[in-house]
Amino acid sequence: MLIRPEREDFRIVGFALGRIFTVVAAASCLPLVWAVLGREWHPFASFLLMIGVFAFLGQLGLRYRPANERLDWSHGMVVVALTWLVVPAIGSIPFIFSGHYGGPVDAAFDAMSGLSTTGLALVQDLDHMAPSLNFWRHLLHFLGGQGIIIAALVLFAGGGGLTLYYGEARDDRILPSVRSTARFIWAVALVHLVAGVVVLGVIAHQVLGFEWKRAFFHGLMIFFAGFDTGGFAPQSTSLGYYHSAIFEFATTVIMVAGAMSFGLHYALWRGPRRSLFKNLETRMILATVAGTMLLTMIGLGVAGIYTSVPGLTRQGFFQVMSAHTGTGFATVPSTELATWGGLAFAGIVVAMALGGMASSTAGGIKALRVGLIVKSVVAQTKQLLLPEGAVVSTQYFQSGRKRLTPELAQSAMTIALLYVALFLLGAGVALGYGYGFQEAIFESVSAGASVGLSVGVTEPAMPMLMKLTYMVQMWAGRLEFVAVFALLGFIYAWVRGK
Amino acid sequence: MRSRDGARLRRWSGDLGGAVLAFVLEVGIVIGLVVAALVVAALVIAAT
Amino acid sequence: MTRHLRLGRRAWTVLLPLITVLMFLLSGTPLASAGQVVPVSDLLVDGERFDGNEITIEGELVGDYGFRHDGYMWTQLNDDSYARDALVDGGPRAGANVGVGIRMPTALGEGLAPVGGYRLEGPLVQATGVWRYHDPDRGGESYLDVSALTTIEGGRRLEEGPDWAVFAAGSLLLAVSFAMWWRRRRSAEAA
């Protein structure tokens, strides 16, 4: 029997949302300041409106304080799901008024794409966009990748942090408290931010010959999009704009850092370091990167798309890394990517679908789940081959020796299947509109796995239903379904419960 | 107080060392993958 | 006795161009020639067709001028509608930008009008050079290796003023939010 949510449940959810919107309002002051410094008064006004809406919603939520602020599991999941719907909606206000979008849905699409660190874009005339707006696009990646909720956890005390943390699809509780874990995640991000921006900025100035201000502008934007494996770029030709192997190399290092789990970062910073290459997740991702790279490069070579060793190495390697880390930077135009058929297509799509490490900024099924599924399948096969009554106990190493329980294996397989279903849903909608199978699958996997590589399907003229479908895929894929189902269940109980 | 400051300083310097190690590892992973990609590319071009 | 075929001047006036065209066709050279402007979209869709050929593209220079240490300068040339019909000027939305990277000797790049960006239309130019598709000397990059550059129109600054209605709405909401916060704080202090 479904129990209808009561007024107190709405107060609890509203109060938590109020805190989160207040944090987002504060973060939104950054592009506002940028607009002031650049005297960009048109974007300035729209940032002011956005901050006003977040601040108002924040105060509205905080006004009705619940008797008990503690979030239980269902409250936490609903808060997470709603945050990831409302923040892109309000966050699209500057885009709506910029003139660079075909309508509110296009603007909300890019905001959702930014926050979910996907990187698919419907923006028009990006090359003439105001720098403060471009900064906001990339800052959305940073907020989404680091987790707005993580930020709220750092700043606000109060119960329910754990459910919010897990609701944002994070599995590692690295430190004893969720708050200290959240602080550590932000520390790692900020240290990488300083180092990454300096390195990219210096390369852009010294090697690419940009002037200093522009060099660091590009460095900052590419860092946000690379470390948070988002994929937006400040210019329309993505990473291909820079025409530089050194810049691509530095960007790849940042993408790898972003696709590493924060648990791995913790092990590097504070030990034990032996877990680095012993972890199932690390071994799995190295194997899948190698495998998809092999597939892709054989495919490109056989098709004669690249006929030189430097060309095949550089372009094949970068695209696979961009796909597997879930970043979505492209060094080739989408029209060219669309011609990568056969094994190259398979390599890139599989890389996108598998994704990065769990508890990182990357999307996809995630390396740990893939590893658990493989171990489970191997164990079940052994069980079949052994005499009846034999017991196969499976263990794995992930920051310590652990037992692969049937529940854990089932959970991994369920989420993997849900991702596959999500990919097929998006592909089905595209097929219904007459797109070819290859491009339908490619774009759908890119949206659902929060990657952002495109073969040209995603464009302003795309049918409305496809835009909405990809937005749902980006939302559900980023949150790994649980929070989404919790929200749907909450709404259903409210409507049909007793 | 001193022992707390000392512990904090030790943790920060440990973190700094860890951060440097992290960067070295990240660069090392990419270099390793680039080398592997070069080998694969050479074999593929030779075969095709 | 053999009879030699003797052709009059008139015949050669017709034959010579025909032979030239025939040689051209038989050489396998694509139809693009140095004087013909090729749309950038053609290069993006089928770049291989123009590989190694001297072509001309026309459009706006955008982004950055990257003067490198090897004697070359890099930038991007867009031939979409935004160069002539800027969004800020009320120009129509025409989808994403359509552009390619171009490389030219530093000397050609010096003295160019400021590159296009926010509130700035970059110079409209005609760039002639060899189209390099998946250049093995540059790790598989595709770009136009420019040897001649002509400025058709210099760039111009654009204006984009603030939207006062949006500004007013935002200010009002902030004021209301502040008032709500203040009231809540006062109630908490009183309680």
Side-chain angles (χ1 to χ4, degrees):
Chain A
M1 190 188 71
L2 279 172
I3 300 171
R4 179 174 280 159
E6 292 170 350
R7 186 180 285 189
E8 187 66 2
D9 294 307
F10 287 100
R11 280 179 180 238
I12 292 169
V13 168
F15 192 76
L17 284 173
R19 279 180 165 164
I20 289 164
F21 294 149
T22 305
V23 168
V24 180
S28 306
C29 291
L30 289 170
L32 183 84
V33 168
W34 190 300
V36 169
L37 293 174
R39 297 181 210 276
E40 298 165 16
W41 302 120
H42 195 270
F44 170 82
S46 58
F47 288 129
L48 198 69
L49 178 61
M50 176 180 68
I51 293 168
V53 175
F54 275 132
F56 176 73
L57 290 176
Q59 291 307 309
L60 206 62
L62 292 171
R63 191 178 144 93
Y64 302 100
R65 198 182 195 106
N68 180 9
E69 288 171 32
R70 192 167 190 83
L71 296 162
D72 68 15
W73 186 90
S74 63
H75 294 134
M77 291 295 152
V78 169
V79 166
V80 168
L82 282 174
T83 299
W84 284 78
L85 275 180
V86 176
V87 170
I90 310 299
S92 67
I93 287 174
F95 299 150
I96 292 170
F97 289 104
S98 71
H100 285 270
Y101 291 88
V105 172
D106 285 22
F109 182 101
D110 266 31
M112 177 61 87
S113 179
L115 201 70
S116 62
T117 70
T118 302
L120 290 171
L122 294 179
V123 64
Q124 302 188 46
D125 195 17
L126 176 62
D127 291 330
H128 291 100
M129 183 178 257
S132 60
L133 275 169
N134 224 336
F135 172 61
W136 177 234
R137 292 175 81 233
H138 291 82
L139 188 63
L140 280 169
H141 277 336
F142 195 63
L143 289 175
Q146 301 317 117
I148 323 157
I149 287 169
I150 299 289
L153 286 174
V154 168
L155 294 167
F156 293 107
L162 196 58
T163 40
L164 294 178
Y165 181 79
Y166 286 139
E168 269 201 331
R170 291 178 200 273
D171 301 322
D172 296 345
R173 192 159 60 152
I174 306 158
L175 285 156
S177 78
V178 173
R179 217 160 158 217
S180 51
T181 301
R183 280 203 183 119
F184 176 78
I185 288 172
W186 274 91
V188 169
L190 290 170
V191 165
H192 277 86
L193 170 70
V194 170
V197 172
V198 166
V199 167
L200 287 174
V202 167
I203 292 173
H205 179 72
Q206 294 294 113
V207 177
L208 308 187
F210 293 174
E211 50 171 28
W212 278 115
K213 260 174 64 176
R214 287 288 294 177
F216 279 96
F217 171 75
H218 282 280
L220 184 64
M221 299 304 111
I222 296 298
F223 174 81
F224 279 153
F227 186 73
D228 292 284
T229 61
F232 279 159
Q235 307 288 155
S236 61
T237 41
S238 189
L239 251 285
Y241 175 76
Y242 303 99
H243 291 277
S244 167
I246 299 173
F247 197 85
E248 286 160 29
F249 178 86
T251 305
T252 306
V253 172
I254 291 166
M255 296 192 305
V256 164
M260 282 165 51
S261 71
F262 285 102
L264 199 59
H265 282 288
Y266 184 82
L268 282 168
W269 284 36
R270 296 189 187 166
R273 296 188 175 113
R274 64 184 166 89
S275 62
L276 289 173
F277 292 103
K278 267 188 93 175
N279 275 356
L280 171 66
E281 193 175 36
T282 311
R283 290 180 176 186
M284 197 68 230
I285 202 167
L286 284 174
T288 53
V289 165
T292 51
M293 195 169 318
L294 193 66
L295 263 181
T296 304
M297 290 173 75
I298 290 173
L300 291 174
V302 162
I305 291 174
Y306 293 100
T307 52
S308 70
V309 173
L312 184 57
T313 307
R314 188 173 151 196
Q315 306 302 330
F317 170 76
F318 188 83
Q319 290 313 143
V320 168
M321 292 307 292
S322 177
H324 213 308
T325 57
T327 308
F329 282 140
T331 50
V332 298
S334 57
T335 44
E336 218 180 287
L337 206 57
T339 65
W340 289 22
L343 283 177
F345 164 79
I348 295 289
V349 168
V350 168
M352 290 197 294
L354 294 178
M357 288 188 169
S359 295
S360 71
T361 65
I365 296 170
K366 311 286 188 329
L368 181 58
R369 279 197 194 96
V370 174
L372 291 173
I373 290 168
V374 167
K375 272 208 170 277
S376 174
V377 167
V378 167
Q380 300 227 9
T381 310
K382 270 187 196 167
Q383 186 79 64
L384 285 169
L385 296 171
L386 286 171
E388 202 175 315
V391 173
V392 176
S393 167
T394 310
Q395 289 188 324
Y396 67 101
F397 190 96
Q398 186 68 18
S399 306
R401 201 145 273 292
K402 292 173 184 171
R403 202 170 77 83
L404 177 53
T405 60
E407 291 77 22
L408 194 57
Q410 188 183 348
S411 164
M413 286 192 200
T414 304
I415 299 289
L417 274 171
L418 282 169
Y419 269 110
V420 171
L422 192 69
F423 300 151
L424 291 174
L425 167 74
V429 173
L431 285 168
Y433 277 103
Y435 289 91
F437 178 75
Q438 190 166 298
E439 51 188 355
I441 279 280
F442 190 103
E443 213 82 356
S444 177
V445 171
S446 182
S450 311
V451 178
L453 282 171
S454 174
V455 288
V457 173
T458 302
E459 48 143 8
M462 190 166 71
M464 180 64 71
L465 182 61
M466 281 180 66
K467 291 177 186 174
L468 295 172
T469 303
Y470 288 162
M471 284 169 74
V472 167
Q473 284 186 271
M474 292 190 274
W475 177 55
R478 175 64 180 85
L479 298 181
E480 297 192 338
F481 307 100
V482 180
V484 171
F485 291 154
L487 176 65
L488 295 174
F490 190 87
I491 295 169
Y492 187 79
W494 178 41
V495 171
R496 299 292 296 269
K498 296 191 192 313
Chain B
M1 184 74 85
R2 258 195 201 159
S3 61
R4 230 188 310 156
D5 285 344
R8 199 179 289 162
L9 192 63
R10 268 195 304 277
R11 205 177 65 232
W12 282 356
S13 62
D15 277 353
L16 187 64
V20 169
L21 181 66
F23 292 136
V24 167
L25 185 79
E26 287 155 13
V27 172
I29 287 171
V30 176
I31 289 173
L33 289 170
V34 168
V35 168
L38 260 166
V39 169
V40 169
L43 291 169
V44 168
I45 296 294
T48 53
Chain C
M1 183 144 42
T2 56
R3 287 180 69 184
H4 295 278
L5 184 65
R6 289 170 80 198
L7 296 170
R9 192 177 287 179
R10 209 176 187 174
W12 279 113
T13 318
V14 173
L15 271 172
L16 205 55
L18 272 174
I19 291 166
T20 311
V21 168
L22 196 65
M23 280 171 63
F24 201 52
L25 287 170
L26 287 172
S27 72
T29 315
L31 293 175
S33 62
Q36 184 188 350
V37 174
V38 174
V40 167
S41 52
D42 283 5
L43 297 175
L44 295 175
V45 164
D46 191 10
E48 198 176 5
R49 187 157 72 100
F50 301 94
D51 186 24
N53 293 335
E54 191 170 82
I55 60 167
T56 298
I57 58 177
E58 186 178 302
E60 180 196 7
L61 299 182
V62 298
D64 300 86
Y65 293 143
F67 290 93
R68 302 195 187 184
H69 297 300
D70 59 1
Y72 286 101
M73 186 266 263
W74 287 83
T75 187
Q76 180 169 317
L77 187 149
N78 289 355
D79 75 349
D80 45 54
S81 65
Y82 302 117
R84 291 177 173 83
D85 294 315
L87 283 178
V88 154
D89 270 352
R93 277 184 285 266
N97 296 109
V98 180
V100 282
I102 65 171
R103 173 180 89 157
M104 64 186 92
T106 304
L108 275 184
E110 280 161 359
L112 279 171
V115 71
Y118 179 53
R119 290 182 301 205
L120 196 56
E121 270 183 8
L124 262 177
V125 301
Q126 255 197 4
T128 301
V130 177
W131 173 248
R132 308 269 183 218
Y133 178 75
H134 293 180
D135 186 0
D137 295 333
R138 286 206 56 87
E141 288 175 32
S142 299
Y143 60 96
L144 185 71
D145 209 352
V146 176
S147 52
L149 192 80
T150 314
T151 301
I152 302 167
E153 262 177 59
R156 66 184 180 108
R157 289 216 162 266
L158 303 166
E159 291 299 319
E160 190 185 38
D163 191 327
W164 291 111
V166 172
F167 177 79
S171 305
L172 181 67
L173 277 168
L174 270 172
V176 167
S177 307
F178 182 78
M180 288 167 77
W181 170 76
W182 184 254
R183 225 180 122 181
R184 214 163 35 83
R185 199 178 152 200
R186 288 279 293 272
S187 317
E189 278 168 6

